[in-house]
């Protein structure tokens, strides 16, 4: 008798199980297989304001393009603004002109990645219409070195920096191709690891990197190198976000202040 | 026919095969759950040490931060269009964690139950199925009882079919046991919730690229159902191949041995000879069906769900055909 | 007219290019008990496997109650109960579970029938125990029970008394006779033990190296008589037998000779021997046995 009960419950359980598992299986096929209708719905068509170079350059507006890595993007800012946000706020208070900021920062971007993006026609027209291009790049290029062993650092550095500087040169050329008269603002590197691994060597590398970058930038009369190294050196605890790498809101505000102070007269004067 | 299946099911149960499987599952799942709990705690400790704050209390801030970042990325006109669905899905997940006060680092019974099967589908689950299926026919040949059942007034194909049906039934029971034990045991460590948490799926492999346009969130229970559905499909395929070996071979140990080496050998092959075209047609290489759901990378490039399911189906059908033809014609000389 | 219960026509089997069975013809009617006798390796089990469809004949046909085992397996096998070689059952199940399993495979078998059969073979006390705890004799009984479940018209038993104790053998013999006489079952018993067949069977078929070398009723065999003499001049006696009656005598050891002579002529022969001056110690008429015939027929076979 017990056997019959066992048997019938087994039958029912397996029948139900079979139905459920089959549903699961076909659902899985559907999800990984043919196009589901939701896929089409989620993609919105381009809603970027396509400002062509011709339509732009009204003197009553200041157009800023911010591009580069996660620092450009504003990663780590608990308010989500990043220096581009604060810069916009600041400039708004300073002038009567319209301030528009396009931020196209991408986490983890390196110089080669940015060079690639620069080929983009849309970015080209954005830069052409801009009054100022703010670039933050190189942190990720340099970070490759950190992930390598210390012994190879010295040797690897020169090589790596060479590639970086080359890319940077190309980058400047690229921007100038789109626009000959836009201001280029380059945000220098800071060292977020100062207290953790304050090796002299490390500090040395960042300084060399910044120095060489600055020399390259300043060769262009309408470009400026904004150092950030000094802002963070004694204020890591206040300015670095909880991920230990990116600036926090205060850090971004500090960077923004630097940039604003350097460029405010350019726009006011016009 | 139902009577015949009943016979076969009870033979397997009385042979304690199911009990062995249950025991293995219980021990392994407990070990897994304990291990995961341990490593979770270590991860948290490490995070806390690195960042200088306790991640367990500050995860909300991190979540919010991530959401803001992702939203920025969504709004940026220069992100790749095809990254956007995945980004959107990630935001949904983070928002769910925040709203429901779930630390995304933490595990849950639902998460564990799913993960356990995802980890088991290519080796551990097949091994269990082999234990179950390996002696289903060869066992009768080995102890001579095959003479007993083949001298009834029942055609041979019916005898074999009832064995196959019993196997397919018990595979369901095994999966059910795995799910229930996983949920019950891991709940002790991680709590019994998490069934409605969103999980991303809908990745597609096109060529050798992972396409993320169709990515959507589904609740964890639904995701688990899909994982177990795929696991059942894998069980059927491994079961039928094992069934075939069991028909062809006269001893239980040989049958189980052949299947195990095929399985483990196949897994090796997929690692070391992934550029060899022919390996993709082996059934052992195509068992990781759940990876397609999760969008992880394949050991052999250029295969996708449809391909794997087709290959596996062909194997199963061929194995069944061989089993039946051979069994119908075979001289019973034991 | 009813077809015979079992009919084998020119049955042959080659295994791996070796002729194992070389053309067997046999018929068996209801209520008959056939002893299928032969030394080990003669091909008894192989023949039985072909009868129940476990292996395909290379040539020839098997019909059970008129149904061909090759073309009409199910109807043919509905009439057969069998034990092939040792009676293997599921050791991890109880005796009763085993029988239930088998009764599940045939709609005709009721619960009562299972109990009935258990009682018939006298296993009531141990039937709920696991088969792994059974002695060989008990397994034989369970095997017979299993074969009887479907009330077969043909019962096939391959070496059924192996492992039974003397009391069990007697019991078994009575059961077989009863089944044949009361239920009109045709029974096909293979054995290499002749003394058994003699007591149990109506007919015997003797198989040797895959061919049947003799079929006879047990009665006929038993009717053949021989006489054994012990005398001082066996050579002369043998010559006399040959000259006067044309009887071929066998010289046994020393002073003993034997010859196939009916009891009716024995007195006359002895008279002649005495007249011829032969000193006669004794003469005994002796009934022939299957054993003798078997040894004659299978002489020269190596024991496999
Ligand atoms: N699987 C097999 N392969 C080859 N030869 C076999 C096989 N089974 C039996 N034989 C041979 O067939 C002959 C008859 O065997 P069998 O029918 O078992 O004899 P019996 O039952 O009369 O003792 C033997 O000579 C044996 O060696
Ligand atoms: Mg034999």
């Amino acid at each position: 008798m017990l056997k019959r009960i066992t048997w019938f419950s087994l039958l029912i359980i397996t029948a139900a199980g079979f139905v459920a598992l089959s549903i699961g299986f076909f659902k899985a096929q559907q999800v990984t297989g043919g196009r589901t209708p939701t896929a089409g719905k989620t993609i919105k068509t381009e809603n970027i304001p396509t400002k062509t170079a011709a339509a732009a350059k009204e003197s009553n507006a200041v157009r800023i393009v911010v591009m580069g890595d996660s620092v450009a993007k504003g990663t780590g800012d608990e308010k989500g603004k990043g220096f581009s946000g604060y810069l916009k706020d600041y400039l708004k208070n300073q002038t009567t002109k319209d301030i528009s900021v396009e931020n196209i920062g991408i986490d983890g971007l390196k110089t080669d990645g940015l060079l690639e993006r620069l080929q983009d026609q849309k970015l080209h027209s954005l830069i052409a219409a801009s009054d100022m291009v703010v670039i933050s790049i190189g942190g990720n290029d340099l970070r490759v070195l950190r992930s390598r062993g210390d012994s190879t650092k010295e040797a690897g550095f020169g090589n790596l920096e060479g590639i970086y500087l080359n890319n940077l040169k190309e980058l400047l050329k690229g921007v100038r191709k789109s626009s000959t008269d836009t201001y280029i603002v380059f945000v220098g590197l800071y060292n977020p690891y100062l207290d953790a691994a304050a090796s002299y060597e490390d500090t040395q590398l960042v300084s060399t990197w910044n120095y060489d970058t600055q020399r390259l930038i300043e060769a262009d009369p309408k470009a400026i190198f904004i150092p950030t190294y000094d802002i963070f050196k004694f204020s890591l605890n206040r300015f670095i976000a909880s991920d230990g790498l990116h600036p926090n809101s205060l850090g971004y505000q500090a960077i923004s202040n630097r940039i604003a102070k350097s460029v405010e007269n350019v726009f006011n004067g016009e | 026919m139902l009577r015949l299946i009943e016979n076969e099911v009870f033979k397997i149960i009385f042979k304690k095969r199911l009990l062995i499987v249950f025991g293995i599952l219980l021990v392994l799942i407990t070990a897994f759950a304990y291990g995961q709990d341990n490593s979770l705690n270590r991860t948290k400790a490490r995070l806390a040490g690195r960042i200088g704050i306790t991640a367990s209390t500050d995860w909300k801030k991190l979540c919010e931060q991530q959401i803001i970042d992702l939203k920025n990325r969504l709004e940026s006109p220069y992100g790749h269009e095809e990254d956007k669905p995945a980004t959107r899905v990630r935001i949904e997940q983070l928002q769910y964690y925040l709203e429901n006060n779930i630390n995304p680092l933490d595990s849950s019974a639902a998460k564990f139950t799913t993960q356990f099967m995802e980890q088991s589908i290519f080796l551990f689950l097949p091994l269990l199925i082999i234990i179950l299926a390996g002696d289903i026919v060869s066992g009768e040949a080995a102890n001579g009882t095959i003479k007993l059942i083949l001298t009834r007034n029942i055609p041979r194909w019916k005898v074999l079919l009832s064995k196959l049906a019993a196997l397919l039934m018990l595979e369901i029971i095994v999966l059910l046991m795995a799910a229930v034990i996983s949920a019950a045991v891991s709940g002790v460590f991680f709590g019994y919730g998490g069934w409605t948490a969103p999980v991303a799926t809908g990745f597609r492999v096109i060529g050798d690229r992972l396409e993320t346009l169709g990515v959507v969130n589904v609740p964890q229970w639904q995701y688990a159902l899909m994982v177990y559905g795929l696991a059942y499909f894998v069980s059927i395929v491994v079961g039928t191949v094992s069934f075939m070996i069991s028909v062809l071979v006269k001893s239980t140990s040989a049958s189980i041995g052949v299947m195990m080496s095929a399985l483990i050998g196949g897994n090796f092959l997929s690692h070391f000879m992934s550029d060899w075209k022919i390996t993709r047609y082996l059934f052992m290489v195509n068992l990781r069906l759940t990876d397609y759901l999760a969008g992880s990378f394949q050991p052999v490039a250029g295969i996708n769900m449809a391909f794997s399911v087709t290959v596996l189906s062909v194997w199963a059908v061929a194995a069944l055909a061989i089993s039946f033809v051979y069994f119908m014609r075979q001289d019973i000389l034991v | 007219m009813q077809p015979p219960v079992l009919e084998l026509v020119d049955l042959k089997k080659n295994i791996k290019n070796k002729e194992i069975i070389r053309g067997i013809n046999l018929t068996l009617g209801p209520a008959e008990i056939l002893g299928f006798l032969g030394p080990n390796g003669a091909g008894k089990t192989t023949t039985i496997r072909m009868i129940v469809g476990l292996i395909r004949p290379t040539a020839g046909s098997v019909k059970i109650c008129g149904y061909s085992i090759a073309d009409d397996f199910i109807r043919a096998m509905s009439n057969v109960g069998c034990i092939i070689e040792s009676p293997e059952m599921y050791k991890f199940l109880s005796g009763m579970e085993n029988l239930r399993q088998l009764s599940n495979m045939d709609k005709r078998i009721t619960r009562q029938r299972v109990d009935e059969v258990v009682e018939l073979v006298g296993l009531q006390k141990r039937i709920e125990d696991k088969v792994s705890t059974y002695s060989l004799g008990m397994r034989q009984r369970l095997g017979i029970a299993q074969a009887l479940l479907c009330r077969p018209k043909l019962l096939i038993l391959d070496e059924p008394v192996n492992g039974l104790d003397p009391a069990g053998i007697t019991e078994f013999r009575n059961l077989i006779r009863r089944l044949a006489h009361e239920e009109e079952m045709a029974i096909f018993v293979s054995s290499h033990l002749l003394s058994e067949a003699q007591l149990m069977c109506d007919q015997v078929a003797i198989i040797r190296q895959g061919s049947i070398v003799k079929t006879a009723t047990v009665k006929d065999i038993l009717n053949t008589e021989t006489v054994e003499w012990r005398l001082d001049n066996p050579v002369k006696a043998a010559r006399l037998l040959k000259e006067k009656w044309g009887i071929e005598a066998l010289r046994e050891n020393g002073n003993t000779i034997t010859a196939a002579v009916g009891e009716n002529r024995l007195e006359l022969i002895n008279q002649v021997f005495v007249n011829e001056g032969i000193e006669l110690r004794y003469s005994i008429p002796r009934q022939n046995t299957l054993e003798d015939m078997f040894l004659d027929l299978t002489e020269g076979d190596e024991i496999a």
Side-chain angles (χ1 to χ4, degrees):
Chain A
M1 205 54 226
L2 185 71
K3 217 183 114 184
R4 309 267 354 132
I5 296 170
T6 318
W7 171 239
F8 281 114
S9 25
L10 267 180
L11 265 186
I12 291 167
I13 291 170
T14 46
F18 183 80
V19 172
L21 292 172
S22 305
I23 292 174
F25 177 75
F26 286 111
K27 194 98 189 129
Q29 297 308 304
Q30 208 183 29
V31 151
T32 52
R35 308 217 148 231
T36 43
T38 49
K41 203 177 67 194
T42 49
I43 309 157
K44 278 187 230 145
T45 41
E46 309 281 303
N47 57 355
I48 318 143
T50 37
K51 298 166 202 153
T52 54
K57 296 261 160 148
E58 319 146 40
S59 58
N60 210 22
V62 177
R63 299 177 190 286
I64 302 172
V65 176
V66 178
M67 61 188 195
D69 53 22
S70 49
V71 175
K73 187 180 147 205
T75 304
D77 185 349
E78 55 273 26
K79 292 181 184 148
K81 288 186 153 175
F83 72 75
S84 62
Y86 301 120
L87 187 61
K88 184 176 175 180
D89 293 349
Y90 182 87
L91 291 176
K92 262 189 184 154
N93 290 335
Q94 296 296 308
T95 71
T96 52
K97 292 176 181 169
D98 260 358
I99 309 287
S100 80
V101 177
E102 290 285 356
N103 187 333
I104 48 177
I106 292 163
D107 282 336
L109 202 69
K110 293 195 276 188
T111 43
D112 48 0
L114 188 55
L115 266 176
E116 225 173 87
R117 304 258 152 178
L118 217 54
Q119 310 298 319
D120 197 309
Q121 194 52 46
K122 278 177 282 177
L123 186 53
H124 166 77
S125 46
L126 260 187
I127 294 173
S130 70
D131 302 294
M132 177 164 85
V133 176
V134 186
I135 303 170
S136 162
I137 197 80
N140 297 309
D141 296 63
L142 180 61
R143 205 141 56 112
V144 174
L145 209 62
R146 289 192 65 92
S147 58
R148 285 198 206 144
D150 269 4
S151 56
T152 58
K153 241 179 207 176
E154 273 301 344
F157 180 73
N159 196 1
L160 207 71
E161 199 198 13
I163 297 171
Y164 160 77
L165 289 172
N166 247 337
N167 286 344
L168 191 60
K169 229 180 267 173
E170 288 301 312
L171 204 64
L172 290 173
K173 257 193 232 164
V175 173
R176 279 290 168 244
K177 217 163 85 187
S178 306
S179 164
T180 46
D181 62 350
T182 189
Y183 286 93
I184 297 175
V185 177
F186 192 95
V187 181
L189 293 190
Y190 59 91
N191 189 351
Y193 303 111
L194 267 179
D195 57 344
S199 76
Y200 172 70
E201 198 189 352
D202 241 24
T203 330
Q204 209 44 17
L205 293 184
V206 179
S207 310
T208 313
W209 187 279
N210 275 334
Y211 175 69
D212 292 337
T213 306
Q214 181 165 12
R215 276 181 27 155
L216 216 151
I217 298 292
E218 301 285 351
D220 184 327
K222 283 193 98 174
I224 182 171
F225 179 89
I226 309 283
T228 58
Y229 182 81
D230 51 336
I231 305 177
F232 287 87
K233 178 148 187 174
F234 298 130
S235 318
L236 277 182
N237 284 342
R238 279 186 61 215
F239 287 163
I240 292 292
S242 50
D243 63 3
L245 183 66
H246 295 108
N248 60 14
S249 178
L250 288 176
Y252 280 120
Q253 282 177 47
I255 296 174
S256 162
N257 284 342
R258 270 277 165 84
I259 299 170
K261 285 279 180 316
S262 310
V263 300
E264 62 185 350
N265 292 326
V266 174
F267 297 115
N268 279 337
E270 272 182 88
Chain B
M1 192 66 205
L2 219 53
R3 284 291 183 88
L4 294 184
I5 300 173
E6 181 184 342
N7 274 356
E8 297 302 331
V9 167
F10 277 104
K11 268 189 252 174
I12 297 174
I13 292 177
F14 276 106
K15 244 187 301 180
K16 310 236 158 63
R17 293 279 161 181
L18 219 50
L19 205 67
I20 293 171
V21 169
F22 180 85
I24 295 176
L25 276 173
L26 191 65
V27 171
L28 235 103
I29 288 173
T30 311
F32 266 36
Y34 177 76
Q36 202 181 51
D37 188 42
N38 236 344
S39 78
L40 260 180
N41 289 338
R42 267 206 312 276
T43 308
K44 280 185 197 166
R46 207 175 50 229
L47 275 178
R50 194 164 82 79
I51 302 174
I53 38 164
T54 46
S56 52
T57 57
D58 237 35
W59 64 268
K60 277 193 176 181
K61 260 191 200 159
L62 280 173
C63 261
E64 281 162 359
Q65 182 59 56
Q66 262 183 301
I67 290 178
I68 291 165
D69 286 353
L70 291 170
K71 277 191 174 156
N72 284 343
R73 192 188 301 187
L74 258 190
E75 282 152 18
S76 155
Y78 291 94
H80 275 299
E81 263 315 306
E82 59 198 51
D83 293 341
K84 290 194 173 175
T87 311
R88 208 166 282 135
V89 154
R90 183 75 194 130
I91 292 174
E92 271 170 41
Q93 286 176 2
L94 289 167
Q95 267 164 350
Y96 176 92
Y97 294 141
L98 277 180
E99 279 159 21
N100 294 279
N101 201 18
I102 298 169
N103 184 343
L105 267 182
D106 277 338
S107 194
S108 68
K111 226 178 190 177
F112 181 87
T113 306
T114 315
Q115 277 169 355
F116 176 72
M117 193 43 74
E118 286 176 317
Q119 297 298 313
S120 309
I121 196 164
F122 62 95
L123 197 60
F124 180 57
L125 176 72
L127 290 183
L128 293 182
I129 300 300
I130 290 169
I131 291 178
L132 214 58
D135 77 331
I136 200 159
V137 180
S138 63
E140 305 255 9
N143 63 27
T145 44
I146 190 140
K147 292 181 289 187
L148 208 58
I149 48 175
L150 291 188
T151 53
R152 305 291 121 185
N153 54 345
I154 288 175
R156 284 193 186 184
W157 63 264
K158 251 190 187 175
V159 172
L160 198 62
L161 190 63
S162 63
K163 283 186 173 295
L164 181 66
L167 179 61
L168 296 186
M169 265 180 80
L170 290 178
E171 282 169 358
I172 296 179
I173 301 292
V174 170
L175 286 173
L176 221 61
M177 284 197 309
V180 170
I181 298 174
S182 304
V185 171
S186 67
V188 175
F189 293 97
F190 313 123
Y192 287 95
W195 296 97
T196 52
V199 186
T201 185
F203 303 91
R204 286 187 202 112
V205 183
I206 293 171
D208 48 7
R209 222 165 40 78
L210 195 67
E211 201 208 71
T212 52
L213 268 178
V215 173
V216 282
N217 271 327
V218 296
Q220 182 84 51
W221 67 265
Q222 201 177 326
Y223 191 81
L225 193 66
M226 289 197 281
V227 167
Y228 278 80
L230 292 174
Y232 184 47
F233 182 77
V234 165
S235 307
I236 292 176
V237 174
V238 175
T240 46
V241 174
S242 186
F243 189 76
M244 173 186 76
I245 302 291
S246 177
V247 169
L248 298 180
V249 167
K250 297 285 166 289
S251 98
T252 303
S253 47
S255 161
I256 293 183
V258 166
M259 271 309 280
M260 290 215 179
S261 31
L263 204 66
I264 294 166
N267 270 300
F268 269 116
L269 267 187
S270 70
H271 276 292
F272 296 122
M273 310 183 83
S274 49
D275 49 346
W276 195 27
K277 284 266 182 209
I278 205 103
T279 53
R280 70 187 55 197
Y281 298 107
L282 295 174
F283 76 92
M284 319 79 155
V285 178
N286 286 289
L287 297 179
R288 299 167 188 251
L289 295 182
T290 48
D291 283 5
Y292 298 119
L293 273 189
S296 15
F297 280 109
Q298 285 303 304
V300 178
I303 60 180
N304 60 20
M305 177 73 100
F307 176 86
S308 288
V309 167
T310 311
V311 168
L312 292 178
S313 304
V314 168
W315 272 87
V317 170
L320 280 186
I322 292 173
S323 307
F324 274 85
V325 169
Y326 184 80
F327 193 71
M328 289 298 289
R329 312 173 138 260
Q330 182 190 17
D331 275 352
I332 310 293
L333 286 166
V334 287
Chain C
M1 204 195 86
Q2 281 266 334
V5 177
L6 175 66
E7 188 180 11
L8 306 183
V9 181
D10 203 21
L11 203 58
K12 288 183 184 155
K13 179 71 185 178
N14 297 353
I15 298 178
K16 295 177 191 137
N17 291 329
K18 213 175 102 199
E19 288 186 313
I20 306 287
I21 304 296
R22 313 163 188 240
I24 286 186
N25 291 286
L26 258 184
T27 42
L28 189 61
E32 290 178 354
I33 305 177
L34 173 76
F36 194 52
L37 305 179
N40 285 326
K44 303 180 296 290
T45 304
T46 307
T47 308
I48 291 175
R49 281 183 206 272
M50 284 193 279
I51 296 176
V52 297
L54 285 177
I55 61 183
R56 284 160 195 262
T58 308
S61 73
V62 176
K63 276 189 179 162
I64 296 165
C65 299
Y67 300 115
S68 156
I69 197 82
D71 306 332
D72 215 345
F73 179 83
I74 294 167
R75 262 187 275 185
M77 283 311 285
S78 298
N79 297 300
V80 180
C82 60
I83 306 179
I84 291 137
E85 288 194 313
S86 43
E88 277 97 2
M89 308 292 274
Y90 297 103
K91 292 197 177 63
F92 49 86
L93 299 178
S94 71
M96 188 50 109
E97 280 293 342
N98 267 290
L99 295 180
R100 290 261 162 77
Q101 284 253 332
L102 296 170
S103 73
N104 270 346
M105 300 177 82
D106 189 338
K107 285 191 199 72
R108 297 169 302 170
I109 303 170
T110 61
R111 246 152 208 276
Q112 280 122 297
R113 178 62 187 165
V114 175
D115 295 337
E116 214 173 285
V117 165
V118 170
E119 209 182 307
L120 201 64
V121 297
L123 265 181
Q124 302 95 309
K125 277 197 209 125
R126 297 289 307 276
I127 198 67
E128 296 295 349
D129 294 349
K130 285 242 158 62
V131 171
S132 53
T133 67
Y134 284 15
S135 68
L136 188 53
M138 291 165 74
R139 283 183 208 176
Q140 287 284 10
R141 284 161 195 257
L142 188 60
I144 292 163
Q146 152 293 114
L148 292 176
L149 272 178
C150 70
R151 295 180 197 276
K153 292 207 177 71
L154 172 63
L155 183 63
I156 297 176
L157 306 169
D158 192 8
E159 320 247 2
V161 293
N162 275 0
L164 289 183
D165 54 20
I169 292 179
T170 314
E171 211 181 308
F172 170 75
R173 193 157 60 220
N174 294 336
L175 176 64
I176 295 296
R177 297 218 79 100
R178 209 171 81 219
L179 289 169
H181 295 147
E182 289 173 13
E183 310 210 2
E184 300 233 303
M185 240 179 238
I187 299 173
F188 184 105
V189 199
S190 88
S191 180
H192 65 278
L193 293 173
L194 308 140
S195 45
E196 264 320 301
Q198 194 167 337
L199 292 171
M200 189 159 57
C201 304
D202 305 323
Q203 321 168 44
V204 290
I206 295 179
I207 178 173
R208 191 186 142 196
Q209 293 182 353
S211 316
I212 289 187
V213 288
K214 188 173 178 80
T215 41
T217 62
V218 170
K219 216 183 278 164
D220 283 346
I221 293 167
L222 293 183
N223 278 344
T224 328
E225 289 172 82
T226 52
V227 177
E228 183 183 309
W229 290 273
R230 191 167 170 85
L231 29 66
D232 65 345
N233 193 345
V235 180
K236 191 173 173 187
R239 205 189 64 226
L240 282 170
L241 279 172
K242 177 97 180 172
E243 281 172 5
K244 295 206 184 251
W245 296 281
I247 296 168
E248 205 69 64
L250 279 175
R251 176 87 185 265
E252 306 235 323
N253 52 350
N255 292 334
T256 317
I257 60 167
T258 52
V261 172
E263 219 170 334
N264 45 351
R265 281 193 287 184
L266 183 56
E267 208 171 331
L268 179 67
I269 294 171
N270 282 352
Q271 195 66 53
V272 172
F273 280 175
V274 172
N275 289 348
E276 290 288 328
I278 295 171
E279 199 172 306
L280 190 65
R281 301 257 169 80
Y282 64 76
S283 69
I284 6 167
R286 216 175 57 180
Q287 265 203 339
N288 208 345
T289 60
L290 265 174
E291 207 91 27
D292 300 323
M293 189 176 83
F294 192 69
L295 285 176
D296 285 350
L297 290 170
T298 61
E299 211 172 355
D301 278 4
E302 73 283 14
I303 299 299

